[in-house]
Structures are given as C-alpha cells and as structure tokens.
Amino acid sequence: MTAPKLALSDNAVTDITADVVVIGTVQQDGGGFTLAPGAEAVDAVFDGSLVDVLTSLGAGGKAEEVVKVPTLGRLKAGVVLAVGLGKADPTAEQVRRAAGAAARALTGVKRAHNFLSVVDLRAAIEGTVLGAYTFTQYKSEAGEGPVGRVDFASPNTKETKAVLKTATAIAEAVATARDLINTPPNDLFPASFAERAVKLGEAAGLTVEVLDEKALRRGGYGGILGVGSGSARLPRLVRLSYKGPKAAKKVALVGKGITFDTGGISIKPAANMEEMTSDMSGAAAVVASVVLAAKLKYPLEVIATVPIAENMPSGTSYRPGDVLTMYGGKTVEVLNTDAEGRLILADAIVRAGEDDPDYLIETATLTGAQVVALGKRTAGVMGSDDFRDRVARIGQSVGENAWAMPLPDELRSDLDSRVADLANVTGHRWGGMLAAGQFLKEFVPDGLDWAHIDVAGPAYNSGGAYGYTTRGGTGVPVRTIAAVLADIAENG
Ligand code: BES
Ligand code: MN
Ligand code: ZN
C-alpha cells in the first residue's frame, strides 16, 4: 500500500496550497446543520454563505455524506470538500469515520488540507490513513491511487507531533494487518506468512523464533500438526517477543493463523469460501500489534505466539474421529475438522502460558456463530470476567465495537468426549461462539487474566467501503489490542 504523506500545518486559509480543503458539517438537534469547528476561516472566504451553498447542493450534515464545492478563485485550492460528521457533539469515532469517507473521496488528489483535525487531531489522522488504504499489488494497472499528501490544520507543538506519530503508527499497524489478510492464500501460506512475520519482527528489533513442522513434532504440538496435516504446505508456530524499557507487566498475544480454511474433511460449501482467505486475521492482528508495541516503545513485555496452518482435505488430512494429543498433553476428539481454529489456538495458548504472563489476549476468526449473534461489525469478547469487560469497554472506546459474552457451564459439559479429555465441538449448534470459548478456556492457565476476541465478522468487510473501513481485511482488532496495551502500560 502507498500511504499518504502526513503533516501538521497552521497556515492561514489564504496560504493553503493544497488542491482540496476538507471541512466538516454537523447535524443540528432541531434539524439542519452547521459547519464543524475549523471551518470558520473557509466560510469567511465564502462571505459566510457556505451552509447555504452546501444546502443548495443537497448537504444535510449526515454522517459520511460528501459534498464538493468549487472555490471559483476564492482560495488557491480548487475545491472545498464538506464531509458529514453526523449528530451534534461528534465523538472521536464520528471524526474517524468522516475522515475515512473524505479520504476515500480524495482518491487521485495530490494534496489536501484537512480541518477535521480541529475537532480531533488523532481521529482525523487515523481515519485518513485507514480510509486511504488500498491494496493494489495484484492489479496490472495502478489506477489513480490514494491522496498523495494531507496537511492537518493544527499548531505544531511537541504534543501535536507526538499525536501525529502515535496515530500514524497505529494506522500503519492496521494497514500491515490488512495487507497480510488481503494477500491471497496461494501466496500467503504457513511458511511464507512465517517469513513475513519474521521480517516485520526483525525490522522492529523483536526476538523471533519459528518452529517448522519438525520442531512442532519434537515439541508435541498435536493441534497445529493435526490441522496442518492435510496440506502440502506444512504448519508453523511463530513467536515474536518485545521487551520494553521498564517493562512492569508481561502480556501474551495469541492469534489464529489459518491461511485458508476449506473446512478439511468436514468440507465447507463452495459459496463464499474464498472469504476464508481471511481466516488468519487474528494472527495478522497480533503480529502487527507486537511490532507496534515496539515502535511505540510501550513499557511492557509483549510476546506474540502465532500458530499457522492451512486446513485442507486430502489423503493425509486429519479426520473426524481422530484423537489429537495437544501441546501440554490434553487429548481432544475431533468431531468436526472445520472447528480447526480452536485446535491450533489450544497449542499456542498452552505455549504462551509457559511464559507466565500477567495477561493473555487472544483473537480469532473463530465461529460463524459470532456473526449470527453480533453481526459483521461487533466482535464477541469472552474470558475472565474483569479483563473481558475491560477489553470490551476499550474496544468500544476505539470504535471497534466489542461486546462482552458469557461462558455458560453447560456448554463445557457438552464438550465431554466418549474417548478423549474433550471434543472439539458440542454436537449441537446453540451458543456456538460461547462453546468455542469454553473449549479454549480448558487450555488457559488457572487464574490468568484472559480475553478471547472472536472477530469472525468484523475482521473482513465483504461489502462496500464505509467510513475508514475499506473492502477486504479490516485490521480489527489491532486498535483494540493497541489500546489495551496502552491501558496496561499506564494502569497495570
Ligand atoms: N473460520 C471459521 C469461522 C468463520 C465463519 C469465520 C465465517 C469467518 C466467517 C471456523 O473455522 C469454522 O469453520 N467454524 C465452524 C465451527 C463449527 C464447525 C462448530 C462454524 O462456525 O461453522
Ligand atoms: Mn473452520
Ligand atoms: Zn477457521
């Protein structure tokens, strides 16, 4: 992806040399709309007539509405682009979405000057970078490309420079996750994903370790090996470790890395199967997050444990009826080879637990039941009560819409197996997201603060772009993980 160049600018409106000037509009409680803070000087150039002009062009301040006005020589910029923030007193998320919608509407523009930063600098930057994201690696013709440069209206101080740096790093981490997810499964398979993770990790100064299939066998990683056994492209376990200055807490990250999920012998229907290229979104998110922790020098120790496999049907596949001996010795009866994510995660969770972390954050595109329960844009969070609620609250505060979900006891007994310690599915479809959570809980060390984020819906946008969410991989829950890490760094 080519990200726009970003800068802070306190230029007077008449000195702006950009091609397009971006301002916000806000709905008024009683109807109609006003200009958002920051637009005053632009309005003055129009003799205070901007609301009337925009109204005549059909504007109403509605969230993400984009209306363009020619400046006809009043400014050096040829166009004012007004983007709707939605209802009054806009939140950071409203600014982020408006900035994203504006960035998408700026495709092909060389340089823009953005006044949304007067409302919220950080949200304006994040929304701009994320909305401008493109993935064109596989297009033979380049097309117009995203906006080349954006100047954000802002004083240039130590504080605002720090905001620019943080917001850019976070948005770039999301873009890194999106790039990995959007890479097709013929090019992103266990070994190549592991290589990319190692490159990203080494560039950020992390300690990296890769277990190949032989090392996995020596180590007894029966879950990862079982799931990976059907593919000619053998599985991996990647570990990326960061130890920050004055690291007071240790956080373990685990993410599901199924580079393609056919379902295996319990094969999936053909319709939409191509979306299972995104079944490594959890892994992409934790790789991007540990790299981000190093870039932002969080005062934490962060260790990502990333199991990677391809779930294929073949003569060598694992099959329904198999019993796998997982890392750490627990046995699992496989009743459905399409419930593969929990099997590779179980190995990784046990391995991550050996580092004796203070917190475990684990994320996966784990269940279709998550999408049924919460839809395409809200992640389900399970785990130990307090940490689960903390992660869900922080997920909401960054606009990634996480919701706390329970782990009912009866679903654990529904996982009892005739032959093994437990089965990988319940044999009924009720509470499928929660049953998967109960399965994972078996492998989490007792007493560890743990959160499992099921992003089966939110990780991948199969519809059109909206706000700062482009098509394909979304990078959810990178910003939630980043914010939880920042919160742990600050509050323990
Ligand atoms: N990767 C899928 C879950 C999924 C579904 C992700 C839709 C994104 C969109 C997972 O491996 C899976 O197949 N889960 C099964 C579990 C079932 C067999 C208990 C499911 O949800 O159907
Ligand atoms: Mn599956
Ligand atoms: Zn899967």
Side-chain angles (χ1 to χ4, degrees):
M1 69 138 206
T2 41
K5 287 195 178 57
L6 307 177
L8 305 174
S9 162
D10 52 8
N11 271 357
V13 88
T14 43
D15 293 336
I16 291 171
T17 53
D19 306 291
V20 179
V21 169
V22 177
I23 60 167
T25 54
V26 185
Q27 287 174 311
Q28 270 178 319
D29 285 341
F33 70 95
T34 57
L35 301 180
E40 301 84 0
V42 181
D43 194 27
V45 169
F46 281 80
D47 302 322
S49 68
L50 256 186
V51 168
D52 288 344
V53 172
L54 287 166
T55 304
S56 71
L57 292 169
K62 252 180 58 207
E64 297 177 35
E65 140 199 300
V66 169
V67 177
K68 294 178 189 173
V69 182
T71 61
L72 304 175
R74 288 183 178 91
L75 289 173
K76 288 177 191 146
V79 175
V80 170
L81 185 154
V83 62
L85 286 154
K87 62 179 172 35
D89 301 322
T91 60
E93 177 63 5
Q94 281 172 270
V95 175
R96 212 178 281 117
R97 289 188 189 190
R104 287 188 289 108
L106 290 169
T107 300
V109 169
K110 278 215 187 81
R111 183 166 177 178
H113 190 101
N114 194 320
F115 282 100
L116 294 174
S117 46
V118 174
V119 186
D120 188 325
L121 175 61
R122 176 166 169 178
I125 297 168
E126 288 179 357
T128 298
V129 179
L130 295 178
Y133 173 86
T134 57
F135 184 75
T136 55
Q137 202 187 317
Y138 293 82
K139 296 276 192 191
S140 26
E141 270 164 46
E144 280 190 312
V147 56
R149 170 177 173 144
V150 183
D151 300 308
F152 293 94
S154 165
N156 219 321
T157 66
K158 209 173 140 208
E159 285 76 33
T160 58
K161 278 185 194 139
V163 171
L164 175 64
K165 187 178 161 228
T166 307
T168 308
I170 288 177
E172 280 172 357
V174 174
T176 298
R178 287 181 181 177
D179 282 347
L180 290 166
I181 298 162
N182 290 335
T183 302
N186 54 331
D187 282 344
L188 193 96
F189 46 89
S192 66
F193 187 3
E195 263 172 45
R196 285 180 68 165
V198 164
K199 281 218 177 87
L200 288 164
E202 282 175 346
L206 307 181
T207 306
V208 304
E209 179 190 8
V210 178
L211 305 195
D212 64 9
E213 68 278 3
K214 286 190 213 90
L216 289 168
R217 194 153 295 121
R218 278 196 301 273
Y221 290 88
I224 300 170
L225 287 166
V227 171
S229 62
S231 176
R233 302 189 289 192
L234 296 167
R236 297 287 185 268
L237 179 72
V238 175
R239 307 237 314 145
L240 304 175
S241 313
Y242 159 71
K243 188 161 185 180
K246 298 196 202 115
K249 297 281 180 187
K250 193 190 284 184
V251 184
L253 302 178
V254 171
K256 170 178 172 181
I258 294 292
T259 59
F260 194 74
D261 183 12
T262 64
I265 296 297
S266 314
I267 198 162
K268 288 181 180 298
N272 303 321
M273 201 202 275
E274 71 283 356
E275 292 189 6
M276 287 302 119
T277 182
S278 65
D279 212 19
M280 34 56 72
S281 296
V286 304
V287 168
S289 296
V290 66
V291 168
L292 175 67
K295 275 204 182 130
L296 295 180
K297 300 199 176 67
Y298 283 145
L300 295 170
E301 190 169 351
V302 182
I303 308 176
T305 302
V306 191
I308 311 176
E310 184 176 48
N311 189 20
M312 296 288 270
S314 79
T316 57
S317 300
Y318 79 138
R319 49 189 93 57
D322 281 0
V323 173
L324 304 177
T325 301
M326 315 297 278
Y327 185 73
K330 278 209 172 77
T331 58
V332 174
E333 181 186 14
V334 178
L335 294 178
N336 189 320
T337 63
D338 198 11
E340 83 296 338
R342 60 196 76 181
L343 298 171
I344 67 168
L345 289 168
D347 279 1
I349 286 170
V350 174
R351 176 63 191 88
E354 289 176 350
D355 298 327
D356 201 19
D358 299 294
Y359 297 96
L360 167 63
I361 306 171
E362 168 268 305
T363 185
T365 48
L366 203 58
T367 66
Q370 180 278 314
V371 197
V372 174
L374 295 170
K376 283 286 291 175
R377 299 188 189 179
T378 304
V381 188
M382 290 138 276
S384 48
D385 293 354
D386 290 344
F387 192 54
R388 170 201 65 203
D389 289 347
R390 185 173 172 189
V391 169
R393 179 173 46 73
I394 290 172
Q396 287 162 36
S397 76
V398 301
E400 285 191 332
N401 299 337
W403 201 257
M405 298 303 266
L407 293 173
D409 285 339
E410 76 276 11
L411 291 176
R412 170 59 192 86
S413 39
D414 292 349
L415 290 169
D416 286 345
S417 160
R418 178 181 57 84
V419 289
D421 296 337
L422 75 167
N424 76 330
V425 294
T426 56
H428 61 74
R429 51 196 206 89
W430 314 121
M433 164 172 49
L434 319 177
Q438 275 291 3
F439 180 92
L440 296 175
K441 186 176 174 212
E442 281 298 306
F443 298 88
V444 176
D446 283 339
L448 175 59
D449 280 317
W450 160 59
H452 156 57
I453 313 173
D454 192 336
V455 289
Y460 194 79
N461 176 18
S462 9
Y466 59 91
Y468 54 84
T469 304
T470 45
R471 292 172 65 190
T474 63
V476 174
V478 168
R479 291 187 304 109
T480 298
I481 296 173
V484 172
L485 292 177
D487 192 54
I488 293 171
E490 199 178 314
N491 303 306

